[in-house]
Amino acid sequence: MRFPRHLLLLGLGILLAACAGQAATPLPTAVPPSGPTGGDWAIGFVYEFPPSFWTEGEHRYAMVMSCPFIGPDPVEVGWNVFTVDANAPLAQSTVYLRAEGLTTEVFNPAYPAGQTINPAQRTTALLYAVGLSEEAVETAPETCEVLVLWDSAPVQPMTVQEPFRP
């Protein structure tokens, strides 16, 4: 049974808001599939924040992936918290909001101990599904819904990227 999009978004927003005070279960930086769909393909989902998006202070974000090839239930990347401070150095590259925290690495991310960024920092939410069959990545644009949530803003859909072999 497929629920209308507005009900799914409302339900996920309420669920994640209710869990905001609880410790998040750490997940891998990429979501592996369940079942017999394994392979050597991957696909990414992104949400690019506008320039100078973040205000000074503490912020939080979460992501939700709902795809048939990862199983019947959506995978929730619990809330991550970071700080925005005008005294923080500005990274030369984009800072990615990943499943385990902030990083400047797209692949093989290293997570710095300090999760503080400058308000002018370019930021992009990024989530990968890995170990997929070619068929799974070809159907992902039509069958997957991947969302990013932050602070108390409305839920936003993430954009699917081109499939690749890592």
Short mmCIF file of all heavy atoms in Angstrom, two decimals, residues 132-155:
data_model
loop_
_atom_site.label_atom_id
_atom_site.label_comp_id
_atom_site.label_asym_id
_atom_site.label_seq_id
_atom_site.Cartn_x
_atom_site.Cartn_y
_atom_site.Cartn_z
N LEU A 132 24.41 -2.08 -4.93
CA LEU A 132 23.15 -2.30 -5.63
C LEU A 132 23.35 -2.98 -6.97
O LEU A 132 24.42 -2.91 -7.57
CB LEU A 132 22.45 -0.96 -5.87
CG LEU A 132 22.17 -0.10 -4.65
CD1 LEU A 132 21.59 1.24 -5.06
CD2 LEU A 132 21.26 -0.82 -3.68
N SER A 133 22.29 -3.59 -7.46
CA SER A 133 22.31 -4.15 -8.81
C SER A 133 22.10 -3.01 -9.80
O SER A 133 21.62 -1.93 -9.46
CB SER A 133 21.19 -5.19 -8.97
OG SER A 133 19.93 -4.54 -8.93
N GLU A 134 22.45 -3.28 -11.04
CA GLU A 134 22.25 -2.28 -12.09
C GLU A 134 20.75 -1.95 -12.23
O GLU A 134 20.37 -0.81 -12.42
CB GLU A 134 22.83 -2.77 -13.41
CG GLU A 134 22.82 -1.71 -14.50
CD GLU A 134 23.56 -2.15 -15.75
OE1 GLU A 134 23.98 -3.33 -15.84
OE2 GLU A 134 23.71 -1.32 -16.65
N GLU A 135 19.91 -2.98 -12.11
CA GLU A 135 18.47 -2.77 -12.20
C GLU A 135 17.96 -1.84 -11.09
O GLU A 135 17.14 -0.96 -11.32
CB GLU A 135 17.73 -4.11 -12.11
CG GLU A 135 16.23 -3.96 -12.18
CD GLU A 135 15.50 -5.29 -12.00
OE1 GLU A 135 16.15 -6.35 -11.92
OE2 GLU A 135 14.26 -5.25 -11.93
N ALA A 136 18.49 -2.02 -9.87
CA ALA A 136 18.06 -1.18 -8.75
C ALA A 136 18.41 0.28 -8.98
O ALA A 136 17.58 1.16 -8.75
CB ALA A 136 18.69 -1.67 -7.44
N VAL A 137 19.62 0.56 -9.46
CA VAL A 137 20.00 1.97 -9.66
C VAL A 137 19.24 2.59 -10.84
O VAL A 137 18.97 3.79 -10.84
CB VAL A 137 21.52 2.18 -9.82
CG1 VAL A 137 22.25 1.80 -8.55
CG2 VAL A 137 22.08 1.47 -11.02
N GLU A 138 18.87 1.75 -11.82
CA GLU A 138 18.10 2.28 -12.95
C GLU A 138 16.68 2.66 -12.54
O GLU A 138 16.10 3.57 -13.11
CB GLU A 138 18.08 1.26 -14.08
CG GLU A 138 19.41 1.13 -14.80
CD GLU A 138 19.43 0.02 -15.83
OE1 GLU A 138 18.43 -0.75 -15.94
OE2 GLU A 138 20.45 -0.11 -16.54
N THR A 139 16.12 1.96 -11.57
CA THR A 139 14.75 2.25 -11.14
C THR A 139 14.69 3.26 -9.99
O THR A 139 13.62 3.74 -9.65
CB THR A 139 14.02 0.96 -10.70
OG1 THR A 139 14.70 0.40 -9.59
CG2 THR A 139 13.93 -0.03 -11.85
N ALA A 140 15.83 3.58 -9.38
CA ALA A 140 15.84 4.48 -8.21
C ALA A 140 15.15 5.82 -8.45
O ALA A 140 14.39 6.27 -7.58
CB ALA A 140 17.27 4.69 -7.73
N PRO A 141 15.35 6.50 -9.58
CA PRO A 141 14.68 7.79 -9.75
C PRO A 141 13.15 7.71 -9.66
O PRO A 141 12.51 8.64 -9.19
CB PRO A 141 15.12 8.24 -11.14
CG PRO A 141 16.43 7.57 -11.35
CD PRO A 141 16.28 6.23 -10.68
N GLU A 142 12.57 6.59 -10.07
CA GLU A 142 11.12 6.44 -10.02
C GLU A 142 10.62 5.81 -8.72
O GLU A 142 9.46 5.99 -8.36
CB GLU A 142 10.61 5.58 -11.20
CG GLU A 142 10.86 6.17 -12.56
CD GLU A 142 12.26 5.84 -13.10
OE1 GLU A 142 12.78 4.76 -12.78
OE2 GLU A 142 12.81 6.68 -13.82
N THR A 143 11.46 5.04 -8.05
CA THR A 143 10.97 4.25 -6.91
C THR A 143 11.44 4.74 -5.54
O THR A 143 10.93 4.28 -4.54
CB THR A 143 11.38 2.78 -7.06
OG1 THR A 143 12.81 2.68 -7.07
CG2 THR A 143 10.81 2.17 -8.33
N CYS A 144 12.39 5.65 -5.51
CA CYS A 144 12.95 6.10 -4.23
C CYS A 144 12.45 7.48 -3.84
O CYS A 144 12.25 8.34 -4.70
CB CYS A 144 14.47 6.16 -4.29
SG CYS A 144 15.24 4.56 -4.43
N GLU A 145 12.30 7.65 -2.54
CA GLU A 145 12.03 8.97 -1.99
C GLU A 145 13.03 9.17 -0.86
O GLU A 145 13.07 8.40 0.09
CB GLU A 145 10.61 9.09 -1.47
CG GLU A 145 10.30 10.49 -0.99
CD GLU A 145 8.82 10.70 -0.76
OE1 GLU A 145 8.16 9.79 -0.24
OE2 GLU A 145 8.33 11.80 -1.08
N VAL A 146 13.88 10.19 -1.01
CA VAL A 146 14.90 10.48 -0.02
C VAL A 146 14.70 11.92 0.42
O VAL A 146 14.59 12.83 -0.40
CB VAL A 146 16.32 10.24 -0.58
CG1 VAL A 146 17.37 10.49 0.49
CG2 VAL A 146 16.43 8.82 -1.13
N LEU A 147 14.63 12.11 1.73
CA LEU A 147 14.28 13.41 2.29
C LEU A 147 15.34 13.88 3.27
O LEU A 147 15.99 13.08 3.92
CB LEU A 147 12.93 13.30 3.04
CG LEU A 147 11.78 12.67 2.27
CD1 LEU A 147 10.62 12.38 3.21
CD2 LEU A 147 11.36 13.57 1.13
N VAL A 148 15.48 15.20 3.38
CA VAL A 148 16.35 15.79 4.39
C VAL A 148 15.50 16.73 5.24
O VAL A 148 14.59 17.39 4.74
CB VAL A 148 17.56 16.54 3.75
CG1 VAL A 148 17.11 17.70 2.88
CG2 VAL A 148 18.53 17.01 4.82
N LEU A 149 15.78 16.71 6.54
CA LEU A 149 15.08 17.58 7.49
C LEU A 149 16.15 18.34 8.26
O LEU A 149 17.22 17.80 8.53
CB LEU A 149 14.29 16.74 8.50
CG LEU A 149 13.28 15.73 7.98
CD1 LEU A 149 13.93 14.40 7.69
CD2 LEU A 149 12.19 15.56 9.00
N TRP A 150 15.87 19.57 8.62
CA TRP A 150 16.79 20.31 9.48
C TRP A 150 16.02 21.27 10.35
O TRP A 150 14.97 21.78 9.95
CB TRP A 150 17.87 21.04 8.68
CG TRP A 150 17.37 22.12 7.79
CD1 TRP A 150 17.20 23.44 8.10
CD2 TRP A 150 16.93 21.99 6.43
NE1 TRP A 150 16.70 24.13 7.03
CE2 TRP A 150 16.52 23.26 5.99
CE3 TRP A 150 16.84 20.91 5.55
CZ2 TRP A 150 16.05 23.49 4.70
CZ3 TRP A 150 16.37 21.15 4.28
CH2 TRP A 150 15.98 22.42 3.87
N ASP A 151 16.53 21.48 11.54
CA ASP A 151 15.92 22.37 12.52
C ASP A 151 14.41 22.17 12.51
O ASP A 151 13.94 21.07 12.65
CB ASP A 151 16.36 23.82 12.25
CG ASP A 151 17.88 23.98 12.35
OD1 ASP A 151 18.50 23.21 13.10
OD2 ASP A 151 18.45 24.85 11.68
N SER A 152 13.65 23.23 12.33
CA SER A 152 12.19 23.09 12.29
C SER A 152 11.66 23.43 10.90
O SER A 152 10.48 23.73 10.72
CB SER A 152 11.54 23.99 13.34
OG SER A 152 11.92 25.33 13.13
N ALA A 153 12.52 23.36 9.89
CA ALA A 153 12.13 23.67 8.51
C ALA A 153 11.29 22.54 7.92
O ALA A 153 11.35 21.40 8.39
CB ALA A 153 13.38 23.89 7.66
N PRO A 154 10.54 22.83 6.86
CA PRO A 154 9.78 21.77 6.19
C PRO A 154 10.72 20.73 5.57
O PRO A 154 11.84 21.03 5.18
CB PRO A 154 9.03 22.51 5.07
CG PRO A 154 9.07 23.95 5.44
CD PRO A 154 10.30 24.15 6.28
N VAL A 155 10.25 19.51 5.49
CA VAL A 155 11.00 18.41 4.88
C VAL A 155 11.25 18.74 3.41
O VAL A 155 10.36 19.26 2.73
CB VAL A 155 10.18 17.11 5.00
CG1 VAL A 155 10.85 15.97 4.27
CG2 VAL A 155 9.95 16.76 6.46
#
